[in-house]
């Protein structure tokens, strides 16, 4: 692949799938410095992986897979690195000016997702974005039946918790 | 509330602006990496310079009488001189980069390359001259040295070599990571 072609594809995808990257960043990184770090890592992985893209899967599925796998690896490494100390220097840098979710229900949803184990977190994102069980299994390297079991648990958890939010239920019923 | 309602809330976020790239913050982050890399280089230069100056001084104070006895002193002074010259060259080369984000990034890459080169060639400009001259001095000594002394000196240099082998790898990784950042920056209008 020519470098110009790689460059063009990278720019297009970064702009086109901005929302998807945002969701992964919000679900896996919980302060601005971490989101910057994760965003940078995802960009690097996407850039490096572009020549390997054969078009067998949709670009969105392929990019989601890269972003989630990068985020899972990053969160494991990040936890290891930050264990026991809070790097104040990190907090002075903000690569992205990320807007926090304005809808309180959306903020709550991110909070719930953040409480899941990294694989369940990835499944929750994919589920909410309407991916099929097959795609999810392929992206995360787990069986479809396993996806089914986990999704059932995630849905049950989210719905049960949401029902305990009386102000929203009145909003939804309007 | 059902799951489908949550999905609607989720999908609605795609309609709002999400994030913008903060150019200044990226610049600050790169500047901090450059400062860090410069600090490491400076510490190494001052450390090596002072250690080898002390070694040379101690060897002279021990009262060398033969020219072979002065060879390790010369080797130690050679290391000090080389470190000083390389430091001046490094600092001069860093002045050639402008203060822009790309200039700072290129300066950080150049600094990491310098550290990598120094680590990779450490064997030739530091360990080999010091080891050769020290062993020559021991061999020329009028009283034969016990075996443990030979083993100790040889072992120290081998150990030094093994430690020195690891250093360039770290700088090579740092340099690669900075080059990757530069590639992304150069290729993404989003990030400029």
């Amino acid at each position: 692949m020519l470098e110009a072609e790689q460059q063009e594809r990278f720019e297009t995808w970064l702009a086109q799938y901005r929302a998807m990257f945002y969701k992964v960043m919000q679900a896996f990184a919980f302060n601005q410095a971490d989101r910057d770090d994760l965003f940078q890592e995802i960009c690097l992985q996407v850039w490096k992986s572009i020549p390997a893209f054969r078009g067998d899967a949709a670009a969105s599925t392929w990019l989601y897979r890269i972003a989630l796998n990068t985020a899972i690896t990053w969160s494991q490494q990040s936890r290891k690195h930050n264990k026991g100390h809070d790097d104040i220097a990190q907090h002075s840098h903000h690569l992205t000016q990320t807007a926090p979710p304005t809808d309180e229900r959306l903020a709550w949803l991110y909070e719930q997702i953040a409480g899941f184990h990294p694989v369940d977190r990835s499944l929750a994102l994919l589920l909410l974005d309407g991916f099929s069980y097959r795609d999810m299994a392929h992206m995360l390297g787990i069986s479809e039946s396993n996806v089914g079991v986990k999704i059932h648990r995630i849905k049950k958890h989210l719905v049960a918790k949401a029902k305990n939010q009386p102000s929203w239920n009145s909003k939804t019923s309007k | 509330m059902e799951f489908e309602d949550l999905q609607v809330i989720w999908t609605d976020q795609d309609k709002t602006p999400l994030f913008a790239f903060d150019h200044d913050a990226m610049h600050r982050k790169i500047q901090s990496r450059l400062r860090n890399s410069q600090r490491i280089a400076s510490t190494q230069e001052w450390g090596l310079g002072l250690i080898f100056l002390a070694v040379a001084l101690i060897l002279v104070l021990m009262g060398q009488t033969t020219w072979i006895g002065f060879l390790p002193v010369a080797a130690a002074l050679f290391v000090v001189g080389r470190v000083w010259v390389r430091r001046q060259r490094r600092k001069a080369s860093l002045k050639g980069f402008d203060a822009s984000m790309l200039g700072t990034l290129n300066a950080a890459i150049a600094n990491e390359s310098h550290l990598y080169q120094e680590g990779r060639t450490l064997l030739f400009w530091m360990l080999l001259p010091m080891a050769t001259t020290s062993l020559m001095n021991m061999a020329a000594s009028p009283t034969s040295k016990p075996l443990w002394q030979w083993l100790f000196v040889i072992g120290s240099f081998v150990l030094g070599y093994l430690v020195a082998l690891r250093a360039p790898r770290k700088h090579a990784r740092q340099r690669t990571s900075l080059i990757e950042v530069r590639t992304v920056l150069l290729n993404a209008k989003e990030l400029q």
Side-chain angles (χ1 to χ4, degrees):
Chain A
M1 175 183 263
L2 293 171
E3 201 170 315
E5 205 181 325
Q6 186 178 6
Q7 175 185 335
E8 195 188 333
R9 193 171 282 183
F10 180 76
E11 283 172 19
T12 313
W13 280 350
L14 209 62
Q16 196 174 345
Y17 298 105
R18 179 186 282 254
M20 184 260 284
F21 293 130
Y22 171 85
K23 288 169 191 168
V24 175
M25 278 153 61
Q26 286 285 107
F28 281 85
F30 312 118
N31 64 50
Q32 191 60 56
D34 281 351
R35 277 193 283 271
D36 293 342
D37 197 31
L38 179 56
F39 178 64
Q40 197 175 324
E41 194 58 37
I42 290 173
C43 284
L44 289 177
Q45 292 308 323
V46 169
W47 172 261
K48 279 196 229 168
S49 311
I50 288 173
F53 179 68
R54 299 274 169 265
D56 301 334
S60 58
T61 312
W62 189 77
L63 286 169
Y64 224 136
R65 183 183 183 175
I66 293 176
L68 287 174
N69 286 326
T70 307
I72 291 172
T73 312
W74 176 89
S75 64
Q76 283 158 355
Q77 287 171 347
S78 177
R79 204 178 304 146
K80 213 186 295 168
H81 292 155
N82 292 330
K83 208 174 180 181
H85 75 277
D86 188 18
D87 188 353
I88 297 162
Q90 271 191 0
H91 295 264
S92 61
H93 306 300
H94 302 295
L95 299 191
T96 50
Q97 293 167 332
T98 317
T102 44
D103 186 336
E104 59 162 317
R105 298 169 304 171
L106 184 60
W108 175 87
L109 205 43
Y110 271 117
E111 205 182 299
Q112 295 302 312
I113 293 170
F116 292 143
H117 176 275
V119 174
D120 288 357
R121 220 181 285 173
S122 309
L123 282 171
L125 292 183
L126 295 169
L127 173 70
L128 288 161
D129 273 327
F131 282 89
S132 69
Y133 283 19
R134 196 180 166 186
D135 281 343
M136 292 185 207
H138 181 64
M139 279 189 217
L140 298 170
I142 52 177
S143 68
E144 272 186 63
S145 55
N146 199 359
V147 169
V149 173
K150 282 174 179 288
I151 290 291
H152 176 72
R153 213 182 300 150
I154 290 168
K155 272 188 178 177
K156 206 172 146 187
H157 173 89
L158 289 175
V159 172
K161 291 273 182 184
K163 279 184 177 156
N164 291 333
Q165 307 286 328
S167 56
W168 303 1
N169 291 320
S170 58
K171 266 186 201 172
T172 330
S173 57
K174 277 173 198 172
Chain B
M1 180 172 284
E2 296 305 321
F3 183 75
E4 288 66 32
D5 299 319
L6 292 174
Q7 211 156 14
V8 170
I9 298 167
W10 183 259
T11 315
D12 275 353
Q13 70 175 311
D14 293 348
K15 296 169 193 161
T16 52
L18 303 162
F19 62 85
F21 196 76
D22 188 339
H23 183 279
D24 291 340
M26 182 64 166
H27 197 175
R28 283 200 300 277
K29 191 159 189 165
I30 292 168
Q31 280 172 330
S32 137
R33 287 190 77 165
L34 173 62
R35 278 197 301 273
N36 197 30
S37 164
Q38 280 179 306
R39 202 187 60 240
I40 292 171
S42 249
T43 311
Q44 279 186 9
E45 286 156 358
W46 277 101
L48 280 175
L50 289 174
I51 286 170
F52 279 90
L53 206 58
V55 167
L57 205 68
I58 290 167
L59 287 173
V60 170
L61 291 175
M62 278 167 71
Q64 307 298 333
T65 49
T66 59
W67 66 271
I68 282 190
F70 277 101
L71 280 180
V73 179
L77 290 176
F78 164 74
V79 173
V80 176
R82 188 189 178 280
V83 166
W84 187 80
V85 169
R86 292 282 293 166
R87 176 181 162 82
Q88 298 311 313
R89 281 194 194 159
R90 178 181 69 81
K91 294 189 93 172
S93 81
L94 290 182
K95 280 182 189 156
F97 297 101
D98 59 48
S100 69
M101 180 153 74
L102 201 58
T104 314
L105 189 52
N106 282 331
I109 292 169
N111 211 57
E112 285 297 338
S113 296
H114 169 87
L115 286 167
Y116 169 72
Q117 278 300 329
E118 290 298 278
R120 213 169 60 92
T121 54
L122 196 78
L123 174 71
F124 304 106
W125 60 266
M126 192 181 89
L127 287 171
L128 270 183
M130 284 308 296
T132 319
T133 52
S134 301
L135 293 174
M136 277 170 73
N137 190 24
M138 282 175 75
S141 172
T143 52
S144 64
K145 303 282 181 194
L147 182 66
W148 71 265
Q149 267 192 27
W150 285 95
L151 290 176
F152 178 76
V153 173
I154 293 170
S156 302
F157 285 115
V158 171
L159 193 68
Y161 174 64
L162 292 176
V163 171
L165 272 181
R166 293 177 61 88
R169 286 185 207 154
K170 184 187 150 205
H171 297 300
R173 272 199 306 274
Q174 294 273 13
R175 187 179 59 171
T176 309
S177 133
L178 286 166
I179 290 172
E180 282 173 346
V181 171
R182 183 175 61 184
T183 311
V184 172
L185 281 174
L186 283 174
N187 290 293
K189 283 178 195 156
E190 273 288 326
L191 309 184
Q192 286 186 22

